[in-house]
């Protein structure tokens, strides 16, 4: 059921006022105990709600997204509001401009309620690496909310927001969506402009929606998509219509990576649930193929080698001179050192050190260039696979969410929780988490620019498994 369409109808028919809708959600966000909110945008949101109510009162038409409350992961710029990236360094930083994707939603009339808690700078898979306290899972508060878009996923799951805008570099939308039983979409790289998103790894960063229905994902994706002169990697894409994603007849073959399933690393219950879903798909007449792919360890190593290199480069600008909280030392070099040492989280420092190591003289040829070469091989593998199958299906995660505190003790285990998401990021492919099929959902992936096909298959699976 589309929450957006339901609320749109209620607003149009004057069953609810936009002001009450927004105030009720703000109250829920303010009183919530899941640590999902970094800052509330209450004054801004209520002023926008009043304008929507005035339009409705005057008998004017309102757009589909007009008056719909949403959340924003706290790594996006929204002019005049705090953009902390859940970090000590930027805890008082205010956005001087607005991200393109967020501006498009504002132009469509959507109302932002909060900047949402996440792993600092997107560094983490649990939303525990944050100065605002760990995000708690929507289903079980002893467990992590997933990361790095944990606050965004939990807010949607708990109906604090109708939808939220997360950011996905190696699984940061898809994994928390799986942990909290909601839909999370990473579009094809470049479909949505990255301008105004704090860069983690520029070559895989994606802007995407988290919502409670496939139809809501489609609506939000259409609004955010498009070429942006401020992001040279962005491109013009065609709109995905509501009727187009209801017919999945063109999908004849589905593949899955057998080494994702035939491994000791996967939880036996997730494995058996995934294979049961495969059997249900086969029963509809769709052909299912086992595919060979890179080992999960290779995917994780390749992704983190490149992502750490890119984040070391991207975060080099954060030294307290132009951005963030500066801590004075005895001299300039000392100031840089203290500012970055004191203000970055342990995980962020780990990634910067790792990134600088793989980019350093004597290591870059051996490690970084090897990573780039492997990335090319992974992309070629996908091209080959998508000549044989229309869709690739996989679990979202090898395991269920860990308890809060466990990931902080074992960073390697945290990295390995991304084993099934990072490969699709390296391939820059459109991938959707659906809350079906296993305890942490299923992941649907298609070839580049085939975002529509992903949504078609998601609709098909809704009634199949």
């Amino acid at each position: 059921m589309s929450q957006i369409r339901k609320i749109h109808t209620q607003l149009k028919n004057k069953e609810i006022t936009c002001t009450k809708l927004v105030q009720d959600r703000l109250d829920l966000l303010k009183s919530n105990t899941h640590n999902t909110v970094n800052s509330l945008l209450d004054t801004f949101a209520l002023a926008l709600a009043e304008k929507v109510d005035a339009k409705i009162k005057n008998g004017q038409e309102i757009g589909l997204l007009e008056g719909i409350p949403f959340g924003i992961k706290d790594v996006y710029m929204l002019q005049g509001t705090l953009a902390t990236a859940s970090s000590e360094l930027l805890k008082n930083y205010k956005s001087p401009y607005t991200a393109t994707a967020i501006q498009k939603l504002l132009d469509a009339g959507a109302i932002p309620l909060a900047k949402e808690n996440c792993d600092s700078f997107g560094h983490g898979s649990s939303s525990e690496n944050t100065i605002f306290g760990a995000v708690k899972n929507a289903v079980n508060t002893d467990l992590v909310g997933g990361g790095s878009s944990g606050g965004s996923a939990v807010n949607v799951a708990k109906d604090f927001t109708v939808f939220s805008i997360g950011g996905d570099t190696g699984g940061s939308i898809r994994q928390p969506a799986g942990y909290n039983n909601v839909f999370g979409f990473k579009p094809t790289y470049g479909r949505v402009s990255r301008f105004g998103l704090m860069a983690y790894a520029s070559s895989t960063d994606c802007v995407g929606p988290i919502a409670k229905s496939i139809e809501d994902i489609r609506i939000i994706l259409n609004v955010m998509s498009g070429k942006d002169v401020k992001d040279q990697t962005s491109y013009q894409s065609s709109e995905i219509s509501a009727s187009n994603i209801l017919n999945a007849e063109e999908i004849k073959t589905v593949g899955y990576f057998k080494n994702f399933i035939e491994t000791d690393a996967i939880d036996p219950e997730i494995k058996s649930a995934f294979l049961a879903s495969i059997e249900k798909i086969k029963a509809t007449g769709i052909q299912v193929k086992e595919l060979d792919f890179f080992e999960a360890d290779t995917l994780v190593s390749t992704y983190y080698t490149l992502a750490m290199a890119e984040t070391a480069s991207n975060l080099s600008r954060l030294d307290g001179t132009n951005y963030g909280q500066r801590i004075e030392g005895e001299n300039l070099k000392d100031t840089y050192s203290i500012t970055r040492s004191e203000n970055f989280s342990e995980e962020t420092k780990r990634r910067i050190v790792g990134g600088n190591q793989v980019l350093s003289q004597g290591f870059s040829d051996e490690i970084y260039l090897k990573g780039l070469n492997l990335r090319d091989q992974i992309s070629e593998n996908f091209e080959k696979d998508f000549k044989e199958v229309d869709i690739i299906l996989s679990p979202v995660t090898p395991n269920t969410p860990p308890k809060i505190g466990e990931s902080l003790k074992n960073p390697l285990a945290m990295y390995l929780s991304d084993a099934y998401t990072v490969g699709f990021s390296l391939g820059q492919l459109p991938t959707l988490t659906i809350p079906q099929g296993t305890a942490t959902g299923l992941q649907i992936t298609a070839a580049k620019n085939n975002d529509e096909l992903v949504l078609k298959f998601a609709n098909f699976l809704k009634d199949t498994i």
Side-chain angles (χ1 to χ4, degrees):
M1 173 68 182
S2 167
Q3 299 279 316
I4 291 171
R5 290 193 182 280
K6 181 184 168 190
I7 293 168
H8 174 67
T9 304
Q10 289 173 328
L11 288 169
K12 255 190 356 180
N13 296 342
K14 299 180 183 173
E15 292 167 34
I16 51 168
T17 66
C18 190
T19 301
K20 175 151 175 43
L21 170 71
V22 165
Q23 187 62 63
D24 285 351
R25 303 277 175 144
L26 285 169
D27 290 344
L28 288 170
L29 285 163
K30 195 180 287 186
S31 62
N32 101 80
T33 54
H34 291 262
N35 280 349
T36 60
V37 177
N38 289 358
S39 58
L40 272 184
L41 309 173
D42 40 5
T43 311
F44 182 50
L46 288 166
L48 291 175
E50 277 179 31
K51 289 180 183 173
V52 175
D53 282 335
K55 272 184 88 168
I56 294 166
K57 193 177 176 184
N58 294 336
Q60 291 172 264
E61 280 292 308
I62 59 165
L64 190 54
L65 275 180
E66 215 158 334
I68 304 294
F70 74 104
I72 304 170
K73 182 179 181 179
D74 204 5
V75 289
Y76 287 96
M77 297 294 157
L78 175 61
Q79 192 170 16
T81 69
L82 287 166
T84 72
S86 296
S87 71
E88 193 69 38
L89 189 76
L90 297 179
K91 69 178 179 185
N92 299 313
Y93 180 72
K94 283 198 171 174
S95 313
Y97 60 93
T98 299
T100 298
I102 304 302
Q103 188 60 56
K104 287 185 169 193
L105 291 166
L106 294 176
D107 293 346
I111 298 179
L113 301 185
K115 300 299 284 295
E116 298 168 318
N117 199 358
C118 56
D119 283 302
S120 182
F121 296 105
H123 298 159
S125 308
S126 63
S127 291
E128 292 173 282
N129 298 298
T130 158
I131 61 165
F132 298 102
V135 173
K136 296 175 184 178
N137 190 285
V139 184
N140 179 347
T141 53
D142 291 336
L143 307 179
V144 301
S148 59
S149 311
S152 305
V154 173
N155 280 339
V156 171
K158 299 294 289 182
D159 289 317
F160 301 154
T161 60
V162 176
F163 68 91
S164 287
I165 302 306
D168 193 305
T169 305
S172 290
I173 285 173
R174 292 161 286 152
Q175 185 250 44
Y179 279 1
N180 294 284
N181 301 325
V182 290
F183 292 88
F185 190 55
K186 182 194 92 64
T188 300
Y189 178 81
R191 186 185 182 97
V192 181
S193 169
R194 291 177 294 118
F195 180 75
L197 163 66
M198 290 186 203
Y200 165 16
S202 307
S203 67
T204 58
D205 285 345
C206 287
V207 178
I210 297 171
K212 277 197 156 176
S213 73
I214 300 156
E215 175 61 0
D216 287 352
I217 294 282
R218 182 195 71 81
I219 292 165
I220 303 154
L221 182 65
N222 278 338
V223 169
M224 294 195 301
S225 297
K227 176 81 182 147
D228 179 16
V229 291
K230 296 169 185 157
D231 176 6
Q232 294 305 305
T233 63
S234 65
Y235 65 90
Q236 198 56 48
S237 55
S238 53
E239 190 161 300
I240 299 170
S241 74
S243 56
N244 268 16
I245 63 167
L246 297 177
N247 181 3
E249 281 177 12
E250 69 195 87
I251 299 167
K252 309 287 186 197
T253 318
V254 171
Y256 72 94
F257 298 127
K258 63 174 186 278
N259 63 307
F260 277 15
I261 307 305
E262 293 168 7
T263 168
D264 294 338
I266 192 170
D267 181 303
E269 286 182 23
I270 289 180
K271 177 178 177 173
S272 64
F274 179 79
L275 291 173
S277 299
I278 290 292
E279 289 308 315
K280 286 177 185 169
I281 291 165
K282 278 183 187 170
T284 67
I286 287 177
Q287 190 186 355
V288 175
K289 286 188 175 180
E290 287 186 346
L291 302 169
D292 288 314
F293 199 46
F294 293 78
E295 289 300 320
D297 289 3
T298 305
L299 296 172
V300 171
S301 303
T302 304
Y303 168 75
Y304 276 103
T305 296
L306 300 179
M308 286 181 179
E310 289 186 41
T311 206
S313 175
N314 280 325
L315 294 188
S316 61
R317 72 193 81 167
L318 298 180
D319 55 19
T321 306
N322 293 314
Y323 310 100
Q325 188 164 280
R326 184 183 176 104
I327 301 171
E328 293 293 340
E330 288 179 17
N331 52 47
L332 189 60
K333 187 180 175 186
D334 198 33
T335 297
Y336 287 162
S337 176
I338 296 169
T339 296
R340 286 166 67 84
S341 296
E342 296 293 318
N343 284 319
F344 281 139
S345 71
E346 289 305 307
E347 186 56 40
T348 293
K349 285 188 274 194
R350 189 179 290 119
R351 294 186 190 203
I352 290 171
V353 169
N356 284 326
Q357 173 84 356
V358 303
L359 289 172
S360 62
Q361 197 172 357
F363 285 97
S364 60
D365 288 4
E366 186 60 38
I367 304 173
Y368 181 66
L369 295 183
K370 191 176 177 184
L372 290 176
N373 180 262
L374 267 168
R375 179 191 190 132
D376 291 342
Q377 288 178 45
I378 289 162
S379 294
E380 283 163 19
N381 202 103
F382 280 129
E383 281 178 32
K384 176 178 69 69
D385 286 338
F386 283 117
K387 285 180 182 140
E388 290 183 42
V389 300
D390 303 309
I391 289 285
I392 292 173
L393 197 66
S394 65
V396 180
T397 61
N399 297 98
T400 51
K403 283 192 170 166
I404 288 170
E406 282 179 11
S407 297
L408 298 178
K409 292 182 212 149
N410 190 345
L412 183 58
M414 181 184 71
Y415 299 159
L416 290 170
S417 75
D418 299 333
Y420 299 160
T421 54
V422 291
F424 303 120
S425 295
L426 292 167
Q428 302 186 334
L429 305 175
T431 310
L432 172 73
T433 287
I434 61 167
Q436 284 177 278
T438 81
T440 55
L442 291 173
Q443 203 174 190
I444 302 167
T445 307
K448 267 188 193 179
N449 307 327
N450 271 1
D451 302 58
E452 181 174 285
L453 201 65
V454 170
L455 300 184
K456 280 186 181 196
F457 195 63
N459 262 325
F460 169 76
L461 286 189
K462 199 167 62 176
D463 308 316
T464 305
I465 58 171

